[in-house]
Structure formats: structure tokens, C-alpha cells
């Protein structure tokens, strides 16, 4: 079947241009002005922007954590993603300590295969390091996993500086890349112990025990370890200017360091933790925490300058009932926010429309850069002949108010409740098939597992 999108404005990483897009089967057949109207279906997309399908390279679906499981499974989470224009997610396969990487991969395929609405891949979490784990790495690459995740915090997941160095050395040999959660675990533990000893157990203690300078210290330490290993790394969910300056310093020294941030750090701030109403404050608990509002200008500036390569969501959703676990002890609040459904509209509305972020920057950070960084380009991340026909039709006349009641994610609140968008997503195509129309997800789970190559960014 051939579908022609007529009269739209195609967004690329190098700019925008008026062009028609012809889809044939699952691929883009042609992009150009005045294409012949010989398709089976012709759709007028005048006054609309045409983006490549968004890629969210940081989600946590069906994850067991904090004695509970995230509210969104692959089915509900990917359905929400697709509704929000995200046609590919890369989730984190997480074997428990003592389990093999193969077991983690097997388990995540069981969670996702046949249940996922958008296309999907996996990063592999390394929470143990030993000769057995190292011996498994080539098989992970053969299975389409070229990116890995490590932690400088969380005792159940962190492996220590020596083992991070050794793991990065092993990944370097195979052409892999690692994303790393950067916070100083030891000092955080000390701060938490002090707050608890003082009986200060409310949500307000959460940001005070995970200050931005401890994130910056961990970013600096990671980059020095990566320098020793001569391996590129991704600083995930970066939140503040001190941490960003550490990355810039390393880049000036010739290191390959990439940065991801998230909508919550661009648009929300730590004042939300100091509300007296527990559910109102606890819903925003995530790690790293939301920061002082002044940090937002540095992140937006970093996006304009190209210092930040990707915007993901770290979608890790819990219901308000699940957040109740920490009412008497802030350290027991399951950490994470929903976000996979609203990312595209938020970045357009509050970045492009209100802060003069160029549409091409939005395309780079939501589409092309994650595709290149994680081995999906040019199949994904660009609208050109031969690429997958993953297309987001963004209608500038489709403004609306974000409401939890209108969203598809399996949670009973939205962090951006009441935000008013500038325009909105009217259609989403997944490999040439109309998957979303006017907010309605059409059909069942049709996502395919993506075998990914190596970083090309």
C-alpha cells in the first residue's frame, strides 16, 4: 500500500523544508516537492510538521524495584509511548546480581515480545562484573545489544570504580557504549543517615540528600574512569550546570562523552518536594531529584549549543498508592515519573514555541541523535528514502491541556497536569501503518524487536 502525506513541512536535523512524503509498505519511498498523487491514500498535512518517529532511549517498563513493580508494563507503557509519537523505545534489561546477562535478556524478551505497541530494543544492565559476565558480551552484541547501563549509586546495582573501568575496557574492544547513572553513593548514604537520625523523614529530605554537586562529582569521576579506559560513555538524566561543565571539560580534553537529559529537569523544579501534602510531593520523587529552577536555563542553553545530545524520559511509573510506601520514610518512596507519552508535545511547546529552540534541535535530540548513538540510524531517526516509515504528524492547530484522565499510561496522575501545549500530535505512523489518529491508538501491539548496531554519532 502507498500513502502520500501531502503539503507538510519535513523536519530534519539540518532544518525544515516543505515536502511531500510517500510511504510504500513499511518504508519511505520518496521525499520531495510536488510528488505525483498516485498513492492508495492521500492525506493533506498542510500546516503540519512531519518529524521522524521519536526514539525514547531510556524507559523502565515492568521493572521490579523498591519491593513493587512499575505501573506500566510493556503493553501499557509502549501504548502510551506510541500515542505520544514515540515509535521506538530502548528499555533496560536488568538481571539481578548473580544472574547471567543471558537470563536478563531472556526475561526482558518474555516481558516485551508480542506485547509492545512500538518498536523496541534493550540496553543491558551490568550489575555484576566477573569473567563470566565478560565472556557473555560478544553474545549480547550478536543479539543486537550494543549499549549497556551501569550505576555509581544503588547498592543492588552498582559495581564500583574498578569494575566500571574493567567493564569499559571490555566494551571498548567490542565497540560498545555505556550509559551511567552518576551520583555519589557513599556521601548520599551519609546524608540520609543524618536526616534519619534527626527524624527528618519527609519528602523534603529527598533533594537535600542528593544535592547537585554529588551528581557533578560522580560525572567527573566517571569521565576520568572513561578516560583511563579510552571508552565513550553517556551521562544519563543529567540535571545541572555543574555536571554539564564536567562533560564540557572532558570533551575539550578529547574525550567522547554524551549527555542525556529529561523533560522533568527542563520543566519542573525542586519546590514541588516541599509541599505539605504528601501525595502532591511524593509523586515527583525521582533520582537524581528535580533541581532548583535556575538550573533549567543551563539545560536549555546546553540544548541550543549542542552540548546535550538526547532528551529521553527515564519513564519509571508508579501509582499514587505505590508512592504511599514512603509516607513515614522518604527513602522508601519508589523513585520515578511517567513521561513517555508527553515528551514530544512538551519539548515542542516549551522548547520550540516558547524558548526558540529550533525544530531541527528537537529532531536531533528526539530522533536522529538517539538513532545514531544506539545503532539504529538510518533505519530510524530520519525521513529519507529507505528508512522505516515512522512519522509523527504534528498539527500546530491541535493545542490542548495535558490531563492525566486523557492519557494512556497506567498511572493516576501526570507530572505535567494542566500544562497547555502549543499544537499537538494528530497522527503517528509506525513502519507505514497509521497507528495513532487524533489521540486514539489503532490496532494491537505490532512492535518489532530492533537488532541494533554500534554507535555512529
Amino acid at each position: 500500500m502507498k500513502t502520500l502525506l501531502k503539503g507538510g513541512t519535513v523536519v530534519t536535523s539540518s532544518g525544515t523544508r516543505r515536502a511531500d512524503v510517500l510511504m510504500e509498505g513499511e518504508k519511505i519511498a520518496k521525499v520531495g516537492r510536488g510528488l505525483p498523487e498516485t498513492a492508495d491514500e492521500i492525506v493533506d498535512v498542510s500546516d503540519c510538521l512531519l518529524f521522524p518517529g521519536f526514539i525514547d532511549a531510556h524507559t523502565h517498563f515492568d521493572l521490579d524495584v523498591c519491593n513493587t513493580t512499575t505501573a506500566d508494563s510493556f503493553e501499557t507503557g509502549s501504548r502510551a509511548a506510541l500515542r505520544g509519537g514515540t515509535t521506538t523505545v530502548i528499555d533496560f534489561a536488568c538481571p539481578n546480581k548473580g544472574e547471567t546477562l543471558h537470563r536478563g535478556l531472556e526475561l526482558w524478551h518474555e516481558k516485551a515480545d508480542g506485547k509492545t505497541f512500538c518498536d523496541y530494543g534493550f540496553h543491558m544492565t551490568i550489575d555484576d562484573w566477573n569473567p563470566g559476565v565478560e565472556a557473555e558480551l560478544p553474545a549480547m552484541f550478536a543479539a543486537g545489544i550494543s549499549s549497556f547501563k551501569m550505576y555509581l549509586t544503588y547498592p543492588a546495582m552498582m559495581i564500583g570504580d574498578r569494575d566500571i573501568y574493567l567493564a569499559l575496557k571490555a566494551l571498548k574492544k567490542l565497540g560498545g557504549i555505556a550509559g551511567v547513572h552518576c551520583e555519589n553513593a557513599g556521601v548520599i548514604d551519609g546524608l540520609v543517615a543524618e536526616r534519619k537520625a534527626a527524624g527528618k523523614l519527609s519528602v523534603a529530605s529527598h533533594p537535600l540528600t542528593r544535592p547537585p554537586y554529588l551528581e557533578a562529582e560522580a560525572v567527573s569521576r566517571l569521565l576520568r574512569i572513561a578516560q583511563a579506559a579510552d571508552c565513550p560513555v553517556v551521562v544519563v538524566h543529567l540535571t545541572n550546570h555543574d555536571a554539564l561543565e564536567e562533560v564540557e571539560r572532558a570533551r575539550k580534553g578529547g574525550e567522547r562523552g554524551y549527555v542525556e537529559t529529561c523533560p522533568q529537569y527542563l520543566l519542573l523544579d525542586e519546590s514541588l518536594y516541599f509541599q505539605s501534602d504528601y501525595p502532591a510531593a511524593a509523586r515527583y520523587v525521582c533520582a537524581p531529584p528535580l533541581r532548583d529552577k535556575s538550573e533549567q536555563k543551563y539545560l536549555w542553553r546546553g540544548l541550543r549549543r549542542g552540548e546535550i545530545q538526547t532528551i529521553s524520559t527515564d519513564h519509571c511509573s508508579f501509582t499514587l498508592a505505590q508512592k504511599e510506601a514512603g509516607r513515614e520514610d522518604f527513602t522508601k518512596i519508589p523513585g520515578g515519573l511517567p513521561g513517555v507519552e508527553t515528551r514530544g508535545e512538551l519539548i515542542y511547546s516549551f522548547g520550540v514555541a516558547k524558548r526558540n529552540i529550533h525544530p531541527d534541535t528537537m529532531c536531533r535530540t528526539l530522533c536522529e541523535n538517539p538513532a545514531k548513538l544506539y545503532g539504529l540510524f538510518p533505519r530510524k531517526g530520519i525521513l529519507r528514502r529507505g528508512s522505516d516509515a515512522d512519522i509523527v504528524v504534528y498539527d500546530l492547530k491541535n493545542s490542548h491541556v495535558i490531563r492525566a484522565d486523557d492519557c494512556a499510561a497506567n498511572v493516576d496522575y501526570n507530572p505535567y497536569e494542566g500544562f497547555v501545549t502549543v499544537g499537538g500530535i494528530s497522527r503517528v505512523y509506525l513502519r507505514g501503518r497509521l497507528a495513532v489518529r487524533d489521540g486514539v491508538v489503532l490496532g494491537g501491539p505490532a512492535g518489532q524487536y530492533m537488532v541494533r548496531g554500534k554507535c555512529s554519532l
Side-chain angles (χ1 to χ4, degrees):
M1 180 176 174
K2 294 183 180 180
T3 301
L4 179 65
L5 303 183
K6 191 75 175 174
T9 298
V10 171
V11 185
T12 72
S13 65
S14 57
T16 61
R17 64 186 175 113
R18 291 293 297 274
D20 306 331
V21 178
L22 178 65
M23 296 177 277
E24 184 171 358
E26 295 193 345
K27 300 292 183 179
I28 294 174
K30 292 181 182 178
V31 180
R33 295 290 294 270
L35 296 183
E37 298 184 9
T38 56
D40 301 291
E41 182 182 12
I42 299 172
V43 182
D44 181 5
V45 291
S46 302
D47 301 321
C48 294
L49 299 174
L50 304 181
F51 286 94
F54 304 144
I55 299 169
D56 193 340
H58 194 150
T59 64
H60 296 285
F61 299 150
D62 201 358
L63 176 67
D64 295 330
V65 62
C66 290
N67 299 312
T68 188
T69 303
T70 52
D72 277 305
S73 63
F74 273 86
E75 181 176 3
T76 64
S78 66
R79 190 171 183 271
L82 192 60
R83 188 174 184 270
T86 292
T87 53
T88 305
V89 298
I90 309 179
D91 203 83
F92 293 89
C94 299
N96 294 315
K97 277 190 179 290
E99 294 180 343
T100 64
L101 302 184
H102 283 85
R103 176 55 190 152
L105 180 58
E106 178 184 57
L107 178 58
W108 252 252
H109 273 298
E110 290 172 2
K111 293 171 183 277
D113 292 353
K115 304 164 190 172
T116 307
F117 280 76
C118 60
D119 288 347
Y120 61 99
F122 305 130
H123 309 285
M124 179 58 63
T125 300
I126 296 176
D127 56 16
D128 263 333
W129 185 252
N130 53 55
V133 169
E134 184 173 3
E136 290 187 88
L137 292 180
M140 294 297 105
F141 281 81
I145 294 174
S146 54
S147 53
F148 298 78
K149 175 75 176 287
M150 291 184 281
Y151 292 82
L152 294 180
T153 189
Y154 300 135
M157 297 178 178
M158 60 189 292
I159 59 174
D161 292 353
R162 185 203 70 160
D163 287 345
I164 286 176
Y165 165 74
L166 294 173
L168 290 177
K169 289 278 284 187
L171 293 179
K172 160 82 176 185
K173 292 178 184 177
L174 295 167
I177 194 166
V180 183
H181 181 135
C182 294
E183 292 183 283
N184 185 306
V187 181
I188 288 171
D189 287 347
L191 291 171
V192 167
E194 289 174 349
R195 301 295 290 187
K196 286 188 171 185
K200 297 177 180 179
L201 300 176
S202 73
V203 179
S205 288
H206 175 65
L208 299 176
T209 56
R210 308 182 89 100
Y213 54 83
L214 292 185
E215 178 186 352
E217 182 280 330
V219 169
S220 176
R221 180 157 40 98
L222 167 68
L223 292 169
R224 291 302 190 187
I225 296 170
Q227 180 182 12
D230 190 26
C231 183
V233 289
V234 184
V235 178
V236 299
H237 47 50
L238 183 138
T239 74
N240 70 88
H241 75 283
D242 283 342
L244 187 56
E245 286 177 359
E246 293 292 346
V247 180
E248 286 305 296
R249 176 204 55 75
R251 286 177 181 153
K252 288 176 182 176
E255 296 175 47
R256 288 173 64 196
Y258 303 100
V259 174
E260 166 200 280
T261 194
C262 306
Q264 55 266 36
Y265 304 120
L266 293 164
L267 297 172
L268 305 174
D269 68 82
E270 67 179 6
S271 66
L272 294 164
Y273 296 128
F274 298 98
Q275 301 175 85
S276 58
D277 181 62
Y278 174 81
R283 67 186 64 187
Y284 295 102
V285 167
C286 58
L290 305 178
R291 302 302 189 189
D292 186 85
K293 192 174 182 64
S294 64
E295 295 290 358
Q296 295 174 6
K297 66 182 179 183
Y298 296 103
L299 298 182
W300 287 112
R301 187 179 70 182
L303 287 166
R304 288 191 192 93
R305 293 178 173 180
E307 297 167 351
I308 296 173
Q309 284 67 52
T310 69
I311 304 173
S312 300
T313 63
D314 194 8
H315 182 101
C316 190
S317 59
F318 299 95
T319 65
L320 294 178
Q322 289 175 297
K323 293 277 188 178
E324 279 292 317
R327 182 176 281 272
E328 305 300 327
D329 179 352
F330 70 97
T331 64
K332 295 180 180 179
I333 303 170
L337 303 178
V340 75
E341 190 168 354
T342 51
R343 177 183 55 146
E345 292 183 342
L346 289 171
I347 298 306
Y348 185 85
S349 301
F350 297 94
V352 177
K354 297 192 175 180
R355 288 180 175 84
N356 297 315
I357 298 294
H358 291 164
D360 54 320
T361 298
M362 177 172 166
C363 184
R364 269 196 302 276
T365 53
L366 268 65
C367 311
E368 187 168 314
N369 281 352
K372 289 180 175 179
L373 190 59
Y374 297 116
L376 288 167
F377 191 82
R379 179 174 181 180
K380 306 287 188 183
I382 190 170
L383 300 182
R384 77 179 189 192
R385 182 179 179 180
S387 297
D388 280 0
D390 297 346
I391 302 175
V392 177
V393 180
Y394 198 97
D395 187 346
L396 297 177
K397 301 185 298 295
N398 195 24
S399 301
H400 60 98
V401 179
I402 294 175
R403 303 288 189 201
D405 289 345
D406 300 329
C407 291
N410 190 34
V411 283
D412 49 357
Y413 78 99
N414 190 294
Y416 310 98
E417 185 80 18
F419 280 41
V420 180
T421 71
V422 177
I425 294 166
S426 62
R427 287 174 174 248
V428 181
Y429 291 87
L430 175 65
R431 285 178 279 104
R433 177 183 67 85
L434 181 61
V436 179
R437 181 174 55 213
D438 297 327
V440 178
V441 179
L442 308 173
Q448 294 181 358
Y449 174 70
M450 294 288 105
V451 173
R452 297 182 292 112
K454 298 177 182 178
C455 174
S456 62
L457 186 60

